[in-house]
Amino acid sequence: MTDEQQSFDALEERLNARKMEYETMPIPDAASQAVQAGIRQAARKRKSRLRWYMSSISAAALILLFTGCIRVSPAFASFVEQLPGMEGIVSMIRQDKGLMMAIDQSLLQKVGVTDEHEGTSLTVDGIITDESRMVIFYTMKGMKDPEKFNYDIDLLDENGKDLPVAFSYFSPRPASENGIYEDKIDVSFTESLPPQELTIIFKERGKKTNNKWKITFPVDHSLTKGMKKIIPVNQTMTVDGQYIHVKQAVLYPTRLVLDIEYDRNNTKKIFGIRDLHLVDEQGRAWRTDSSSIGGSGNSVFFESMYFSTPKKLTLQGSGLSAVDKEELVISIDPSSGEIQGGPSSLKLLQSTVQGKNLILEFSIADAQNATSGLSFTNIEDSKGNPFDINEVSWSPSVFEARVVIKNGAAAKGDLTMEIFSYPDQIRAPFSIEIPVTP
């Protein structure tokens, strides 16, 4: 028997076992689902939802198995993507090895709850969650003008209070030909744990109707209970003469969190670390969505290798984005265009008034391949009046930045400001070994 045949035989055994598991799974009462969703619908619609839920369980039994094969067989990937309601989830996470393995380990929680207003429906299809992260998959249908359809999102706990979390999402892209838009919300838990019950509210922005889509569902914590692994690192690396402390790695099913701190005695203010990634003994790179970390350092998120523990991990990077601390504060005379202080590579091209705002245009020499732009904080005029930035833009092809200071036309005398981010890149490759087991 070939290795390939053995692999497929093993998959068949897993499929049969999972099939029995789902056949014996109790089906939630439809009325209970309706209460959890906070949506009052007719009994006929609840029955339809129940039938949909039952068919989805069969799909889930297959998707949980075959997504594990996507990394191996394109044929299996094609088969999985044809399963009703699951092709979107697969396409959204196929580039995240950690989430793919989490789904293969049965950590995807099916939700399947829908709210509909004026012909536009929102369905939360499912979630993957642990103590550190929650990824919420949703589908929107019937958007009449998807290019102009913008919305805000609220996440509430079981008490109706805003979750103290950071989360990211994209405005809808134009829907497909069948009018369906699929995407995800990526939630980070830094001050709290996932709630027992989650409410998601989509609020239409910029229209008189102010439609809201509201979905409530329970969150199962048992799937990842006790799976957090803390790996002490306690190593210091030196990059371009600056000390960076790697304190610990925390491994979750959905991601690895690396805690990094910049030494307070560094001579430079570090705005980011370039090309940060983890490499295992097979040469596989475990990606991070954060190309840089700023401030005094913080947590960096990588794909999770929880279900494929490497024998060896190496943290690698190509350098820093940093400025000498003595060059952080600059002074600008908007009328003459003179600039004092700051890095020698920073030049003020011009300052113009546009309405109530002041527009400053800069050039930065030697900013090839910059991963961040130019921005400022602590902006004051000669009278001590504070100002905020209204807009920043960075043109990497010509190394030019545009900074719009809100109400800056009213500034008196020179403006002083502190560099908050800077595109100058310091090439200084580095690597250190990261322990794998706690």
Side-chain angles (χ1 to χ4, degrees), residues 155 163-167 187-190 192:
L155 301 178
L163 287 176
V165 297
F167 61 98
V187 185
S188 291
F189 297 100
T190 56
S192 66

Side-chain angles (χ1 to χ4, degrees), residues 264-291:
R264 66 178 61 186
N265 294 318
N266 284 340
T267 59
K268 297 179 182 290
K269 175 70 176 291
I270 300 175
F271 301 111
I273 302 178
R274 296 186 59 195
D275 305 323
L276 200 61
H277 56 281
L278 290 166
V279 179
D280 64 18
E281 74 281 357
Q282 300 180 38
R284 293 181 299 181
W286 300 85
R287 301 179 304 114
T288 173
D289 289 334
S290 300
S291 58

Side-chain angles (χ1 to χ4, degrees), residues 167-345:
F167 61 98
S168 61
Y169 63 99
F170 294 96
S171 294
R173 299 180 295 274
S176 59
E177 293 181 0
N178 56 8
I180 298 175
Y181 172 77
E182 298 171 308
D183 215 325
K184 64 183 185 296
I185 307 169
D186 208 327
V187 185
S188 291
F189 297 100
T190 56
E191 301 178 15
S192 66
L193 295 175
Q196 298 296 323
E197 184 180 82
L198 179 63
T199 295
I200 303 175
I201 301 176
F202 282 64
K203 299 183 295 186
E204 195 170 11
R205 186 193 309 159
K207 292 190 176 182
K208 295 180 180 179
T209 54
N210 292 322
N211 285 324
K212 292 183 180 181
W213 292 263
K214 181 178 180 181
I215 291 179
T216 301
F217 56 90
V219 178
D220 187 353
H221 291 249
S222 65
L223 296 180
T224 56
K225 185 177 181 180
M227 296 181 73
K228 173 182 175 180
K229 297 180 181 178
I230 299 178
I231 303 172
V233 179
N234 298 321
Q235 296 188 50
T236 297
M237 55 187 181
T238 305
V239 184
D240 191 45
Q242 309 305 302
Y243 297 105
I244 301 174
H245 308 295
V246 184
K247 303 169 68 176
Q248 67 176 15
V250 185
L251 186 56
Y252 300 92
T254 62
R255 66 185 178 190
L256 180 142
V257 182
L258 194 66
D259 290 335
I260 291 180
E261 183 178 274
Y262 302 138
D263 195 291
R264 66 178 61 186
N265 294 318
N266 284 340
T267 59
K268 297 179 182 290
K269 175 70 176 291
I270 300 175
F271 301 111
I273 302 178
R274 296 186 59 195
D275 305 323
L276 200 61
H277 56 281
L278 290 166
V279 179
D280 64 18
E281 74 281 357
Q282 300 180 38
R284 293 181 299 181
W286 300 85
R287 301 179 304 114
T288 173
D289 289 334
S290 300
S291 58
S292 65
I293 53 176
S296 60
N298 48 30
S299 298
V300 189
F301 305 132
F302 295 88
E303 293 175 294
S304 174
M305 63 286 297
Y306 193 98
F307 299 106
S308 178
T309 306
K311 297 179 181 178
K312 177 183 177 182
L313 273 179
T314 304
L315 179 66
Q316 298 179 353
S318 63
L320 303 174
S321 173
V323 168
D324 287 340
K325 291 181 178 179
E326 295 179 351
E327 298 177 341
L328 288 175
V329 178
I330 68 172
S331 176
I332 292 177
D333 183 345
S335 58
S336 67
E338 292 185 1
I339 180 173
Q340 295 182 352
S344 59
S345 57

